[in-house]
Amino acid sequence: MKPDAEHLAWRLHEVPLLGHLDEDERLELASKVVFRRLAARSPLFLQGDPGDALFLVLAGSVRVMTRGAGEREVNLALLNEGAFFGDMALLDGNSRAISVYAVSDCEVAVLDRSEFQSFLETHPAAARRLLGVLCQHLRQANGQSLEPSQRTVRQKLAGVLRDLALSNGEVGAHGVLLPREVNRRALAEMLNTTRAAITREAAVLRQRGLLENEGHRVRVTDPDGLGRLASGVH
């Protein structure tokens, strides 16, 4: 059964980009959402496709993958009911840096970028608040403030890197070397943040001795430390 507008509006409130909208504005956006059903193993979108929508997983689960120059796909994450992704596509429309496939039969809610842009054109006050949110994110990316949301990105990044080390890494004497395909752009899209935020938080993880660079690849030097950080244990 499809969720009603009130439930969808509540779900949209969980998306950081939309969290500063008021209830009536989220209800209006909820009325523009469409629903898609996906059979198991079918793609929702592929790497390189236009970034033209925000997605909310309503039922089932999806797998996030990325593909490198060698055409080998690397598993980044499994997202279950309640997850969202693609919110930055509402603004920039850049091509997708990841592919997403249905793991099981699933249903997703889709907010198209064109609908969101039309909403901003008719709601200038909401557009101004959104601009304020983006300016705040920019200040954080430049290291001028430390908000709780930064720590959340750090914890999420630590958790993803730990999972990748356990599932896709090359174990060596000095840690676990991650696939070349694990890059800032793919991580940023998966974590619904910016590449600048990924760069900043990865630098912190390196300073803590949890990561190190090896050429264009990342080596996880302390998977257990990443796991503790992801769990909120500093």
Side-chain angles (χ1 to χ4, degrees):
M1 184 176 68
K2 293 182 175 62
D4 58 25
E6 288 78 10
H7 179 77
L8 276 175
W10 173 74
R11 291 288 303 276
L12 290 174
H13 183 266
E14 298 177 328
V15 179
L17 186 65
L18 308 179
H20 289 73
L21 300 180
D22 63 34
E23 184 176 358
D24 288 341
E25 290 165 343
R26 289 194 301 274
L27 281 169
E28 182 171 343
L29 280 179
S31 71
K32 301 177 183 296
V33 164
V34 298
F35 301 93
R36 286 182 59 183
R37 292 185 180 273
L38 292 171
R41 296 182 295 279
S42 61
L44 178 59
F45 57 78
L46 299 176
Q47 188 170 338
D49 285 351
D52 56 4
L54 162 72
F55 298 93
L56 306 171
V57 181
L58 302 177
S61 57
V62 299
R63 189 173 301 280
V64 180
M65 311 285 290
T66 189
R67 185 181 64 251
E71 298 301 309
R72 180 173 70 100
E73 282 197 312
V74 174
N75 177 39
L76 289 178
L78 180 69
L79 303 179
N80 299 310
E81 179 180 343
F84 65 88
F85 49 92
D87 58 331
M88 295 307 293
L90 295 176
L91 296 177
D92 59 28
N94 287 342
S95 60
R96 298 291 187 186
I98 57 176
S99 298
V100 175
Y101 299 90
V103 174
S104 59
D105 292 346
C106 65
E107 183 175 21
V108 296
V110 184
L111 176 60
D112 192 81
R113 181 173 184 265
S114 62
E115 294 284 5
F116 184 68
Q117 295 290 327
S118 296
F119 167 82
L120 291 181
E121 289 173 2
T122 56
H123 294 76
R128 288 192 294 271
R129 289 199 301 278
L130 176 60
L131 180 60
V133 172
L134 294 176
C135 288
Q136 180 184 26
H137 289 176
L138 181 60
R139 287 195 298 270
Q140 292 173 354
N142 288 334
Q144 296 175 2
S145 65
L146 275 175
E147 300 293 336
S149 59
Q150 283 194 0
R151 293 191 292 274
T152 299
V153 171
R154 188 174 303 164
Q155 291 169 352
K156 290 180 179 180
L157 178 61
V160 166
L161 293 175
R162 175 184 178 274
D163 290 346
L164 287 169
L166 296 178
S167 62
N168 291 288
E170 301 173 14
V171 180
H174 303 290
V176 184
L177 192 63
L178 299 184
R180 187 182 302 273
E181 293 84 358
V182 178
N183 55 43
R184 289 183 306 160
R185 188 180 176 202
L187 290 168
E189 183 161 356
M190 186 182 66
L191 296 179
N192 298 292
T193 188
T194 63
R195 279 178 280 183
I198 295 295
T199 299
R200 180 190 63 242
E201 299 300 350
V204 174
L205 300 183
R206 287 195 300 273
Q207 290 169 1
R208 294 187 178 188
L210 303 175
L211 304 176
E212 60 184 28
N213 290 339
E214 182 169 316
H216 295 293
R217 299 175 69 177
V218 173
R219 185 183 301 279
V220 173
T221 53
D222 186 356
D224 290 340
L226 287 176
R228 289 191 295 272
L229 176 58
S231 301
V233 179
H234 298 279

